[in-house]
Amino acid sequence: MRFGSGFFDLQLRFAHRVSDLSGMPLGDALLGYTNFYIRFGLGRAFDPHHAIWIEYMDGLARSADQTAWTVRFFATRQGLPQPSHTVATFGCFSYGHRDAGCLRLHFENADPDGQAPLAAERKSARRSELRALLAHVRHAEPQATRLAGVSWLYNLASYRRLFPESYLATAKIAGGRFRNMPLWGQFLDRHGTVRTAAAALFLDRLARQRSMDDLVQCFPLQPLAVEAPLSDFHAFHAIA
Ligand SMILES: CC(C)(COP(=O)(O)OP(=O)(O)OC[C@H]1O[C@@H](n2cnc3c(N)ncnc32)[C@H](O)[C@@H]1OP(=O)(O)O)[C@@H](O)C(=O)NCCC(=O)NCCS
């Protein structure tokens, strides 16, 4: 998927504010409070001594325009093999293994027609993808009994309508997601452009933030964690 420069700019601003509020070095704030390490394809160890991360930080220190440097650096990392937890993909949906009995669902725009992926007209296409995923899982993952998700998307009616009520009813705010797309993804539209209203609200709240307490409240939407038995999905999608 595409990530416009605004996506990196927003996170740099956040990291600078975190650094100011906490006194931690900017590098620590970038490592702990942005999606950069993952976006650069470095995995999830968040190792400050990783050679590629050090290369990024060195360039940042020399750059007059930190956003431009970050965007250029990200471009050099695109197209490289990335560590992935994804097991299989069905259109906009994919899944990975969360633990022995539980699969984790992911969403990314892959609508072939370039239409709004969550629009009412695309609801049946999304439901077909979910049905295909569930049918596949039934054969390929016999040990799995549950499906879980964590995302800002569970706040949206257009996303929620794709899932059974029992799954949505378990929604709990998932804390500590400052490095992850379940939090940062809310600022992107399907073209990878930053959503102006969400970003403006975020920056306004960030400017008013006076401490590290409740930092996540700067984000307009909170990531929600949900989980339910696979049998609930089978019933919802009428999979015999
Ligand atoms: C998910 C994603 C494709 C949605 O993009 P989009 O261009 O808004 O797609 P849609 O137009 O189909 O949007 C769905 C609806 O949600 C609304 N919406 C999207 N983002 C929103 C936000 N941050 N706040 C409020 N509403 C939002 C849209 O307005 C739209 O509603 P509408 O149909 O009533 O107009 C895009 O945000 C994205 O690619 N994000 C990065 C990936 C990601 O976050 N994946 C989940 C990781 S856990």
Side-chain angles (χ1 to χ4, degrees), residues 37 46-47 49 73 81 93 107 130 154 172:
Y37 194 93
F46 303 101
D47 173 9
H49 306 296
F73 192 81
F93 292 97
F107 182 86
L130 279 170
Y154 292 105
K172 288 187 188 60

Short mmCIF file of all heavy atoms in Angstrom, two decimals, residues 37 46-47 49 73 81 93 107 130 154 172:
data_model
loop_
_atom_site.label_atom_id
_atom_site.label_comp_id
_atom_site.label_asym_id
_atom_site.label_seq_id
_atom_site.Cartn_x
_atom_site.Cartn_y
_atom_site.Cartn_z
N TYR A 37 9.97 1.86 12.48
CA TYR A 37 10.81 0.65 12.50
C TYR A 37 10.13 -0.47 11.72
O TYR A 37 10.76 -1.14 10.88
CB TYR A 37 11.05 0.23 13.95
CG TYR A 37 12.15 -0.78 14.18
CD1 TYR A 37 13.46 -0.37 14.47
CD2 TYR A 37 11.90 -2.15 14.13
CE1 TYR A 37 14.48 -1.30 14.71
CE2 TYR A 37 12.91 -3.07 14.36
CZ TYR A 37 14.19 -2.65 14.65
OH TYR A 37 15.18 -3.57 14.88
N PHE A 46 12.62 -3.94 17.58
CA PHE A 46 12.85 -2.54 17.95
C PHE A 46 14.23 -2.35 18.57
O PHE A 46 14.39 -1.80 19.66
CB PHE A 46 11.73 -2.03 18.88
CG PHE A 46 10.38 -2.18 18.22
CD1 PHE A 46 9.52 -3.23 18.55
CD2 PHE A 46 9.99 -1.30 17.22
CE1 PHE A 46 8.30 -3.39 17.90
CE2 PHE A 46 8.77 -1.46 16.56
CZ PHE A 46 7.93 -2.50 16.92
N ASP A 47 15.21 -2.84 17.83
CA ASP A 47 16.60 -2.81 18.28
C ASP A 47 17.25 -1.49 17.85
O ASP A 47 17.45 -1.24 16.66
CB ASP A 47 17.34 -4.00 17.63
CG ASP A 47 18.83 -3.98 17.89
OD1 ASP A 47 19.29 -3.15 18.70
OD2 ASP A 47 19.53 -4.80 17.26
N HIS A 49 20.16 -0.68 17.90
CA HIS A 49 21.49 -0.89 17.30
C HIS A 49 21.41 -1.59 15.94
O HIS A 49 22.46 -1.91 15.37
CB HIS A 49 22.36 -1.73 18.26
CG HIS A 49 22.44 -1.14 19.63
ND1 HIS A 49 23.03 0.09 19.87
CD2 HIS A 49 21.96 -1.58 20.81
CE1 HIS A 49 22.92 0.36 21.15
NE2 HIS A 49 22.28 -0.62 21.75
N PHE A 73 14.15 7.69 2.77
CA PHE A 73 14.67 6.45 3.37
C PHE A 73 13.65 5.32 3.23
O PHE A 73 14.00 4.19 2.86
CB PHE A 73 15.01 6.69 4.85
CG PHE A 73 15.81 5.56 5.44
CD1 PHE A 73 17.17 5.47 5.24
CD2 PHE A 73 15.18 4.56 6.17
CE1 PHE A 73 17.91 4.41 5.76
CE2 PHE A 73 15.89 3.50 6.69
CZ PHE A 73 17.27 3.43 6.50
N PRO A 81 12.16 -7.70 0.58
CA PRO A 81 11.38 -8.70 1.33
C PRO A 81 11.16 -8.22 2.76
O PRO A 81 12.10 -7.74 3.40
CB PRO A 81 12.27 -9.95 1.30
CG PRO A 81 13.39 -9.66 0.36
CD PRO A 81 13.46 -8.20 0.11
N PHE A 93 -8.63 -8.73 3.16
CA PHE A 93 -8.40 -9.39 4.45
C PHE A 93 -7.26 -10.40 4.39
O PHE A 93 -7.05 -11.05 3.37
CB PHE A 93 -9.68 -10.12 4.91
CG PHE A 93 -10.79 -9.18 5.26
CD1 PHE A 93 -11.78 -8.89 4.32
CD2 PHE A 93 -10.85 -8.58 6.50
CE1 PHE A 93 -12.80 -8.00 4.63
CE2 PHE A 93 -11.86 -7.68 6.82
CZ PHE A 93 -12.84 -7.39 5.88
N PHE A 107 -6.63 -6.03 7.89
CA PHE A 107 -7.33 -5.38 6.77
C PHE A 107 -6.42 -4.35 6.11
O PHE A 107 -5.75 -3.57 6.77
CB PHE A 107 -8.59 -4.66 7.28
CG PHE A 107 -9.40 -4.02 6.18
CD1 PHE A 107 -10.34 -4.76 5.48
CD2 PHE A 107 -9.20 -2.70 5.82
CE1 PHE A 107 -11.08 -4.19 4.46
CE2 PHE A 107 -9.93 -2.11 4.79
CZ PHE A 107 -10.87 -2.86 4.11
N LEU A 130 -14.29 -12.38 3.26
CA LEU A 130 -14.28 -12.97 4.60
C LEU A 130 -14.74 -14.43 4.55
O LEU A 130 -14.16 -15.29 5.22
CB LEU A 130 -15.18 -12.16 5.54
CG LEU A 130 -14.55 -10.90 6.12
CD1 LEU A 130 -15.60 -10.05 6.83
CD2 LEU A 130 -13.43 -11.26 7.11
N TYR A 154 -12.53 -0.87 14.06
CA TYR A 154 -13.72 -1.37 14.75
C TYR A 154 -14.57 -0.24 15.34
O TYR A 154 -15.63 -0.49 15.91
CB TYR A 154 -13.33 -2.41 15.82
CG TYR A 154 -12.79 -3.67 15.18
CD1 TYR A 154 -11.43 -3.96 15.20
CD2 TYR A 154 -13.64 -4.55 14.52
CE1 TYR A 154 -10.93 -5.10 14.58
CE2 TYR A 154 -13.15 -5.69 13.88
CZ TYR A 154 -11.79 -5.96 13.92
OH TYR A 154 -11.31 -7.09 13.29
N LYS A 172 -12.54 -4.03 23.45
CA LYS A 172 -11.88 -3.35 24.58
C LYS A 172 -10.77 -2.49 24.00
O LYS A 172 -10.12 -2.91 23.02
CB LYS A 172 -11.22 -4.37 25.52
CG LYS A 172 -12.19 -5.16 26.33
CD LYS A 172 -11.44 -6.03 27.35
CE LYS A 172 -12.37 -6.99 28.06
NZ LYS A 172 -13.05 -7.93 27.15
#
